Amino acid sequence: MYKDMFPVVLIVFLIQIFRSDALCSRRGVECVEYQVLSRTPDYEERQYPGTTWVSTTADGSTLAEAQRIMYKKLIEYYRGSNIDGIAINSTTPARIRIIPCRGATCYSTFTMSFPIPGYMKENVPYPLDPTVFIDREPPLRYVTRSFTGRPTEEQWLDEAHKFAGLVWKDPTVEKNYFYILFYDPPFQLFNRLNEIALLKKIEVPISTTAPPNELEH
């Protein structure tokens, strides 16, 4: 009997391998897949498929102030503050879009987002908090710069300014706002992955899949 079961067990094992290889993960946590279109010593151009995020927005004078408020709301949603009352698997990266303040006394606008797990994209539970919303994005293209460490707010801004300088002459890159992304939880002290991303203002053909991005560490 065990001999007859061996081919079935082998097939199931291989399916699990291929299934895990097809998903992006970072330290065992599901992340957003993308395809690298080109690479320079300083940044990558990436193609992302359509994605679904849970998001919230805050105005603030500092990133840290806004992040504390937004993070708490999104964590509550993942812990069960949604219409179905269910806990949701952790995902990465956390992403914050920053529209910088242009004056001396104004506030910047921050939008923080967590990606919805792939198994829930077709049936996303809506948030109970009216300031939290589901954001469905079409396929998009970004230029992205990666770096390590635990950046302060000043370091995030410094990295963003450096990146903007590298792509300043490219008219297809959106420069009125930028994204910061962090892939690791706060308690992760070493080998952290951070990114600055700028949107490419081009029409992207719709695609349902994207090759794995080899983020597994």
Side-chain angles (χ1 to χ4, degrees):
M1 178 180 70
Y2 294 109
K3 182 178 180 181
D4 294 337
M5 289 178 61
F6 178 75
V8 176
V9 173
L10 178 61
I11 290 172
V12 171
F13 177 70
L14 291 174
I15 289 173
Q16 289 175 339
I17 291 176
F18 290 129
R19 185 173 295 167
S20 64
D21 283 349
L23 294 175
C24 165
S25 71
R26 168 76 175 175
R27 305 187 192 278
V29 176
E30 180 183 342
C31 57
V32 179
E33 296 184 10
Y34 59 81
Q35 178 185 7
V36 178
L37 301 179
S38 63
R39 183 180 285 118
T40 76
D42 298 304
Y43 61 88
E44 293 179 340
E45 182 171 337
R46 301 175 182 174
Q47 171 66 58
Y48 285 81
T51 52
T52 304
W53 305 74
V54 59
S55 305
T56 189
T57 298
D59 293 333
S61 57
T62 68
L63 170 62
E65 173 189 349
Q67 185 175 341
R68 279 194 298 270
I69 297 170
M70 296 186 295
Y71 183 81
K72 182 179 179 180
K73 292 181 179 182
L74 297 182
I75 285 295
E76 288 300 314
Y77 170 81
Y78 268 65
R79 289 175 176 170
S81 181
N82 54 69
I83 196 170
D84 293 338
I86 58 174
I88 299 172
N89 290 352
S90 298
T91 54
T92 193
R95 182 184 78 177
I96 301 179
R97 186 184 70 179
I98 301 175
I99 303 177
C101 172
R102 301 298 182 187
T105 59
C106 62
Y107 290 121
S108 297
T109 299
F110 305 91
T111 301
M112 189 173 196
S113 305
F114 292 170
I116 294 293
Y119 72 93
M120 299 189 71
K121 286 182 179 179
E122 301 303 320
N123 190 24
V124 183
Y126 279 85
L128 296 178
D129 185 337
T131 65
V132 177
F133 57 95
I134 302 301
D135 189 9
R136 299 183 187 273
E137 294 184 351
L140 294 172
R141 190 168 297 177
Y142 293 89
V143 287
T144 304
R145 178 176 170 87
S146 303
F147 60 101
T148 59
R150 299 178 68 89
T152 63
E153 183 163 351
E154 291 75 18
Q155 289 169 330
W156 277 116
L157 293 174
D158 185 54
E159 288 288 338
H161 290 148
K162 288 179 182 177
F163 193 14
L166 291 171
V167 297
W168 188 254
K169 294 183 179 180
D170 186 344
T172 69
V173 174
E174 173 62 64
K175 303 178 187 72
N176 291 318
Y177 57 85
F178 63 96
Y179 295 88
I180 65 173
L181 301 94
F182 21 88
Y183 285 81
D184 302 293
F187 57 78
Q188 182 68 40
L189 299 179
F190 304 105
N191 300 317
R192 298 179 62 85
L193 175 61
N194 315 298
E195 293 179 341
I196 300 284
L198 298 170
L199 180 68
K200 290 275 285 187
K201 299 179 289 185
I202 59 174
E203 187 173 340
V204 176
I206 295 176
S207 173
T208 57
T209 60
N213 53 15
E214 301 176 355
L215 264 182
E216 181 64 61
H217 290 281

